[in-house]
Amino acid sequence: MQIKGSFQLMKSLNRSVILNKIRTDGPISRAAIAKETKLTPPTVSSIVKELLDSELVVESAQGQSNGGRKPTMLIINAKNFYVIGLDVGPTLLKSILTDLNGTIIEESHSAILTPTSNEKLLQLMKKTITELINYDREKIIGIGVGMHGVVDVESGTSLYAPNLQLRDIPIKNVLENEFGITVKVENDARAMALGEVWFGDGSGTDNIVAVNLGRGIGAGIIINGELFHGESSIAGEIGHMTIDIRGPKCACGNYGCLQTLASGPAIAERAAREMAIGKNSSLENKVGNDLDQIDGKMVYEAALEGDSLCVSVLNEAGIYLGIGLVNLIHTLNPTKVIIGGGVSNAGDFLLDSLKDTIQRRALTKSAKHTKVLLSTFSEHATTLGAVSLILAELFSRTDTNTN
């Protein structure tokens, strides 16, 4: 069975309407599908037969009878098909293999050695995918890629990966030619946002912002249930929102960008600066006089041990993040803000001052109480988001009243 061919057939013939109905409401009968989608019973029966033949849908137990024969119920055969998700970050390539429910079956991490090139990065991605795809190649539905930086979603090209200093990486083209499987590429923060809608705390919420805190800071914006890209695919680049015009210089050339004040490297640099001017910290026991060894994880671990300097540094980062989020709340007014990425592991050290900042600065009572929470996916937030890129394409809802 050719999975890519089945994928394209279902999309081209608008099978997604029925697929999504079975996914969201299953177990469900053919009659109920016809009634709720406004498709005729013969149309539903014909399409369901093709889905059963493809094994993407299976029949389950019989439903309750309303006087006649008990209807046969349909469900998605979620555990019988797989998706590969990649998170291409500045230093690591994280990869997972999941079923259609997002259950992780296999995972791996590979270091991205710098300096690198488009060819080297693509070769690493191909190597990683090859290892996962051998699990059951015939049942891999697609490959999703969450790529940091600016992405052209239509062509699946990484236009600019700032932390790797790479441009114009033809990810979709190269991977589809290599593996013959559908590939979707998206900015990592937007992928993360979509993953929260599919699998996490964004489920059932039409307007959310998901913030990815790591070596950089990005946001994925969901408006009316759809990813928002903006005119030239830079919507959500909140790491380059100016917070302090007299602040540190950013890699982008501007001064006082949010990521110069609250990203992982910014937190480490702030701790090192404070220690350089004589502030005491238990970090001295770990790095001695080599302050360049300090990273965000060390600061968090020291804060857990009660190091007052590190607690203060994280609290201040939370204030800056809070200011950035107030700007987003006033602009987009989301129902929820979900925070993920490596820096989010700092938890309450960030959240307490972040929420306090929102309380003090937001305009209205409802804005002050915008729900802000940590992603439950931890390090898998972007890889699961990459998986959801394929699922969103496969199960996308297409309204129809045609027979």
Side-chain angles (χ1 to χ4, degrees):
M1 175 175 49
Q2 293 297 314
I3 296 300
K4 184 179 180 184
S6 298
F7 185 105
Q8 297 300 337
L9 175 67
M10 287 182 282
K11 291 300 296 176
S12 64
L13 298 180
N14 201 24
R15 269 51 180 170
S16 300
V17 177
I18 291 176
L19 267 177
N20 199 59
K21 176 57 66 174
I22 298 171
R23 180 186 71 86
T24 57
D25 296 352
I28 187 171
S29 68
R30 291 165 177 80
I33 293 171
K35 180 179 179 181
E36 295 178 30
T37 63
K38 296 183 172 59
L39 292 167
T40 64
T43 297
V44 171
S45 293
S46 175
I47 293 174
V48 165
K49 182 180 184 304
E50 292 177 15
L51 294 177
L52 289 170
D53 289 343
S54 75
E55 299 180 0
L56 191 57
V57 169
V58 293
E59 294 178 330
S60 66
Q62 291 185 321
Q64 291 185 341
S65 170
N66 291 322
R69 189 172 62 182
K70 290 183 178 180
T72 301
M73 310 300 278
L74 302 167
I75 58 172
I76 298 295
N77 194 9
K79 295 183 179 180
N80 199 45
F81 290 91
Y82 310 103
V83 178
I84 291 172
L86 302 184
D87 171 9
V88 187
T91 60
L92 280 178
L93 171 59
K94 301 176 185 178
S95 57
I96 58 174
L97 176 78
T98 77
D99 64 19
L100 302 191
N101 289 325
T103 303
I104 297 174
I105 298 165
E106 300 279 349
E107 64 179 299
S108 68
H109 291 179
S110 300
I112 299 175
L113 303 178
T114 54
T116 188
S117 65
N118 290 7
E119 292 72 23
K120 288 180 181 178
L121 183 62
L122 287 167
Q123 194 61 39
L124 180 61
M125 293 168 71
K126 287 191 282 188
K127 178 177 180 291
T128 298
I129 292 168
T130 298
E131 292 169 356
L132 291 176
I133 213 169
N134 287 333
Y135 181 84
D136 195 339
R137 188 185 187 100
E138 289 300 308
K139 293 187 176 180
I140 306 288
I141 282 183
I143 301 166
V145 181
M147 180 74 192
H148 85 278
V150 183
V151 172
D152 181 330
V153 176
E154 292 301 316
S155 67
T157 302
S158 169
L159 298 178
Y160 180 42
N163 293 311
L164 294 174
Q165 291 300 303
L166 299 179
R167 294 182 182 271
D168 301 320
I169 312 170
I171 297 173
K172 177 181 174 70
N173 184 52
V174 168
L175 296 185
E176 286 193 340
N177 286 340
E178 179 75 14
F179 298 105
I181 294 173
T182 298
V183 176
K184 300 288 289 184
V185 187
E186 182 57 274
N187 164 269
D188 56 355
R190 285 197 288 265
M192 175 185 151
L194 194 63
E196 291 292 343
V197 169
W198 274 81
F199 305 119
D201 289 313
S203 178
T205 306
D206 285 340
N207 301 298
I208 71 166
V209 172
V211 180
N212 192 7
L213 302 179
R215 293 186 63 83
I217 301 176
I221 301 166
I222 304 281
I223 298 177
N224 295 329
E226 301 290 337
L227 276 175
F228 180 70
H229 293 88
E231 182 65 24
S232 55
S233 295
I234 63 168
E237 288 290 339
I238 65 169
H240 299 290
M241 175 191 297
T242 300
I243 301 296
D244 180 1
I245 61 172
R246 296 180 180 84
K249 187 173 183 179
C250 182
C252 74
N254 293 323
Y255 290 84
C257 291
L258 180 59
Q259 72 180 35
T260 68
L261 302 165
S263 65
I267 289 169
E269 289 167 15
R270 178 60 187 268
R273 273 200 314 273
E274 294 294 310
M275 291 171 63
I277 62 174
K279 299 283 183 69
N280 293 322
S281 171
S282 61
L283 291 175
E284 295 171 11
N285 300 327
K286 297 180 180 179
V287 302
N289 293 324
D290 189 1
L291 301 182
D292 289 338
Q293 288 188 41
I294 297 173
D295 59 25
K297 184 178 179 182
M298 286 183 185
V299 175
Y300 166 60
E301 290 173 346
L304 281 177
E305 295 167 358
D307 186 291
S308 59
L309 171 63
C310 292
V311 170
S312 175
V313 167
L314 290 173
N315 286 341
E316 184 170 77
I319 292 172
Y320 286 125
L321 284 169
I323 293 171
L325 291 185
V326 168
N327 291 338
L328 278 181
I329 289 167
H330 288 165
T331 304
L332 300 172
N333 196 201
T335 305
K336 293 179 182 178
V337 178
I338 302 173
I339 300 175
V343 177
S344 70
N345 291 329
D348 290 341
F349 292 118
L350 287 173
L351 277 188
D352 288 347
S353 55
L354 184 159
K355 290 180 177 179
D356 180 65
T357 301
I358 293 174
Q359 283 278 338
R360 288 186 290 105
R361 291 176 174 266
L363 278 177
T364 65
K365 183 177 180 180
S366 60
K368 292 177 185 293
H369 290 90
T370 301
K371 194 167 186 180
V372 179
L373 58 160
L374 296 177
S375 172
T376 58
F377 298 138
S378 185
E379 66 181 61
H380 296 125
T382 298
T383 47
L384 281 170
V387 166
S388 72
L389 296 173
I390 297 297
L391 300 183
E393 180 76 5
L394 180 63
F395 294 109
S396 63
R397 287 164 290 186
T398 305
D399 294 332
T400 179
N401 290 310
T402 62
N403 296 330

